[in-house]
Amino acid sequence: MASVLLVEDDETIGRLLDDALRANRYRTIWCRSGGEALEAVSREAADLVILDLGLPDLDGVDVCRAVRQRLPGTVIVILTARDAEIDVVVGLEAGADDYLTKPIRLTELMARLRAHLRRGPAGASSAVHIVGELRVDGSARRAWLGEHELELRAKEFDLLARLAAEPATAISRTALMSDVWDDNWRGSTKTLDVHVAALRRKLEQAADLGGPKAPEIATLRGFGYRLEPPDRG
Ligand code: CA
């Protein structure tokens, strides 16, 4: 049974989510403030954290950062007001894996949670992909640039594995979203861009640490992404 830490100060929304989570067989801990949430994560782990960014006591982004630090492997989904696009970006940069805007649609939330808990795309999970000096091992869920192991979060790994499965090939945003996240993904795909940005940063950092040249993730405007093997020259 997966455990969910729910952080939501609004009694109505919190009750709705808490009931829905329990009905879907999640073990739920409901915290009504940032302070309560930080106390909860200092006591026990959770598979998933659903975090409302608008909290009465602490800045939700700070709570997100603290939860990420305490629970590096957990999935964090942030909740924001509909018009708070900037919060989404800041929240994702603070370590969130995904976001939903209010009003929350329960079917969508549950689909997302299931997608996050499903580790890796179903088909290609155990393959090893080599692109230049990048090596992605699907069965071990580890990736290296030369000798340097990349520290990747679950979905970053899945995305890199998906791109590396077809190097030098344009892959559409829709295909990436459905393969890495969920078959019925709806709404904005900013989550994808943030994960690509994180991968680029980690590949560059590994190369800067004296590693070999990293493959590049090329942006194809209006289409998707392509993993480019580095120039041989
Ligand atoms: Ca709130």
Side-chain angles (χ1 to χ4, degrees):
M1 188 186 275
S3 59
V4 178
L5 180 72
L6 170 64
V7 190
E8 172 63 81
D9 59 301
D10 184 296
E11 197 64 31
T12 311
I13 299 172
R15 173 64 54 207
L16 186 76
L17 294 179
D18 189 48
D19 287 349
L21 288 164
R22 287 170 194 280
N24 282 272
R25 298 173 182 282
Y26 291 98
R27 194 168 65 80
T28 314
I29 305 162
W30 177 10
C31 299
R32 290 164 175 80
S33 70
E36 248 184 86
L38 294 184
E39 203 188 299
V41 295
S42 73
R43 274 199 319 266
E44 58 188 307
D47 299 305
L48 281 160
V49 177
I50 300 174
L51 171 64
D52 178 34
L53 286 187
L55 295 169
D57 55 340
L58 300 171
D59 183 338
V61 173
D62 291 338
V63 175
C64 182
R65 206 171 282 121
V67 171
R68 170 54 65 218
Q69 206 167 21
R70 175 79 183 84
L71 305 174
T74 206
V75 173
I76 304 177
V77 178
I78 52 176
L79 308 180
T80 66
R82 177 166 294 287
D83 50 357
E85 285 279 284
I86 184 70
D87 286 357
V88 170
V89 176
V90 174
L92 292 169
E93 281 171 2
D97 298 283
D98 195 7
Y99 70 97
L100 283 171
T101 48
K102 292 181 175 181
I104 305 300
R105 298 216 315 268
L106 284 177
T107 48
E108 186 177 16
L109 174 66
M110 293 306 159
R112 298 270 187 109
L113 298 189
R114 274 196 304 278
H116 280 293
L117 289 174
R118 176 171 60 86
R119 288 291 191 231
S125 57
S126 65
V128 175
H129 303 293
I130 295 172
V131 182
E133 293 287 325
L134 173 71
R135 184 164 172 275
V136 183
D137 182 338
S139 60
R141 295 188 60 82
R142 297 171 77 181
W144 293 266
L145 182 67
E147 299 291 302
H148 181 85
E149 182 166 5
L150 303 172
E151 277 183 33
L152 302 176
R153 309 252 302 281
K155 289 297 169 192
E156 291 169 1
F157 179 86
D158 293 338
L159 179 59
L160 184 62
R162 178 65 186 85
L163 289 166
E166 292 181 82
T169 304
I171 306 176
S172 72
R173 300 178 67 87
T174 319
L176 291 171
M177 290 309 293
S178 96
D179 290 351
V180 176
W181 280 271
D182 188 70
D183 290 338
N184 303 301
W185 199 273
R186 283 182 292 264
S188 162
T189 56
K190 193 177 275 114
T191 302
L192 172 61
D193 301 313
V194 172
H195 280 72
V196 167
L199 278 179
R200 282 182 177 140
R201 202 164 55 233
K202 289 178 180 185
L203 285 167
E204 276 165 27
Q205 277 167 0
D208 287 347
L209 287 169
K213 230 174 153 186
E216 251 176 60
I217 304 174
T219 302
L220 310 172
R221 297 243 168 265
F223 183 78
Y225 292 100
R226 182 177 60 216
L227 187 67
E228 297 279 14
D231 302 334
R232 299 208 172 268

